[in-house]
Amino acid sequence: MGKLSNTVFSHAEEFVQQVPLLVTSSHATINRPAITLTFAQSLDGKISLPGQQLLLSGAESMAMTHRLRSMHDGILVGIDTVICDDPQLCVRHVPASELTSVAHPQPIVLDSQLRIPLTARLLVGPQTNSRLKMPFIVTGPDHDPARRAQLEQMGARVVVVACDAGRLCLGAVVRELRQLGIMRLMVEGGARVIQAFLESQIVDLLIITIAPVLVGSSGVAAALSPLSAPI
């Protein structure tokens, strides 16, 4: 995506200022952060294609997303998103005057089996840009100790929480993140993570942007049923 205009940035700022939960108290508790769930979807409710990236965000929604990122302490995705999209989970699309001072959120990956590639930009980026943060990688108790050692040697923080039927317990995840200092948490996906948070009923704010396109039956919906695969 090319350079965004100041008008686009202004519209993004105006939007977030109209959302009370973003500009008032954090709504965090002693047990969990305040949680914002946000994603883009097509007119027919699809957020991606199987195993590949689907770009649904225009200039305005991209600017809004990055403004939201700057207002949260942590940004969380699932391991499938990391493998498919190789995201940076930082703040880039803001006015040029803010680029050198904006606070980047803490990247957080739900990865019950420690599948994150050692070449992922989340791991490589902070090695060349000191303003970026090494990720928290949340995994289950049955992870590979050797893989954990590799990740920790690179600088990542591996956080172990309980699992239920092979899936990370979101209650345990958010409690641990709160203890690690995350007061505001932004959840971006993918589909299994989105559904898990919706089912958990711990989301304080839901923001959905809708792209004027139809993806069709091959697309992956934001809500899957049943939720059985690990995250």
Side-chain angles (χ1 to χ4, degrees):
M1 181 173 293
K3 184 178 180 181
L4 304 186
S5 69
N6 288 332
T7 300
V8 170
F9 292 135
S10 296
H11 289 166
E13 184 65 29
E14 289 171 6
F15 171 81
V16 299
Q17 291 298 323
Q18 294 175 26
V19 182
L21 287 178
L22 291 174
V23 296
T24 57
S25 60
S26 74
H27 292 265
T29 72
I30 61 172
N31 293 319
R32 67 170 179 85
I35 298 173
T36 301
L37 173 60
T38 179
F39 58 90
Q41 69 172 41
S42 62
L43 285 172
D44 51 348
K46 304 301 193 297
I47 65 170
S48 67
L49 292 169
Q52 58 183 295
Q53 190 176 30
L54 177 64
L55 296 178
L56 293 171
S57 296
E60 292 82 2
S61 61
M62 184 67 72
M64 181 270 293
T65 295
H66 282 249
R67 176 56 65 192
L68 286 174
R69 287 181 177 184
S70 74
M71 301 171 73
H72 289 77
D73 304 309
I75 177 169
L76 182 149
V77 297
I79 183 57
D80 288 343
T81 295
V82 175
I83 291 173
C84 181
D85 298 347
D86 196 17
Q88 298 180 72
L89 303 184
C90 59
V91 181
R92 302 186 308 282
H93 297 296
V94 294
S97 59
E98 298 182 35
L99 282 175
T100 58
S101 60
V102 68
H104 295 289
Q106 172 64 56
I108 302 160
V109 181
L110 300 186
D111 185 4
S112 61
Q113 301 171 25
L114 294 185
R115 293 188 292 136
I116 185 170
L118 299 182
T119 56
R121 290 197 290 182
L122 287 175
L123 295 169
V124 176
Q127 297 178 20
T128 57
N129 184 347
S130 60
R131 296 189 61 244
L132 299 179
K133 300 173 182 176
M134 274 294 194
F136 292 169
I137 303 174
V138 185
T139 192
D142 295 329
H143 61 270
D144 180 355
R147 184 68 164 183
R148 175 178 180 173
Q150 283 182 302
L151 293 167
E152 291 179 331
Q153 186 174 20
M154 294 183 72
R157 179 163 188 164
V158 177
V159 180
V160 181
V161 302
C163 285
D164 180 15
R167 294 165 48 195
L168 298 174
C169 296
L170 286 190
V173 171
V174 296
R175 282 194 300 272
E176 189 66 27
L177 293 178
R178 177 65 181 83
Q179 292 300 310
L180 291 171
I182 304 298
M183 296 287 289
R184 285 184 177 272
L185 178 66
M186 181 172 168
V187 179
E188 286 196 10
R192 283 196 287 268
V193 172
I194 290 169
Q195 186 182 11
F197 271 89
L198 289 174
E199 290 180 352
S200 71
Q201 299 185 4
I202 58 174
V203 174
D204 299 292
L205 178 63
L206 176 63
I207 300 176
I208 304 174
T209 56
I210 301 176
V213 297
L214 296 172
V215 174
S217 59
S218 62
V220 178
L224 303 172
S225 182
L227 180 60
S228 58
I231 55 177

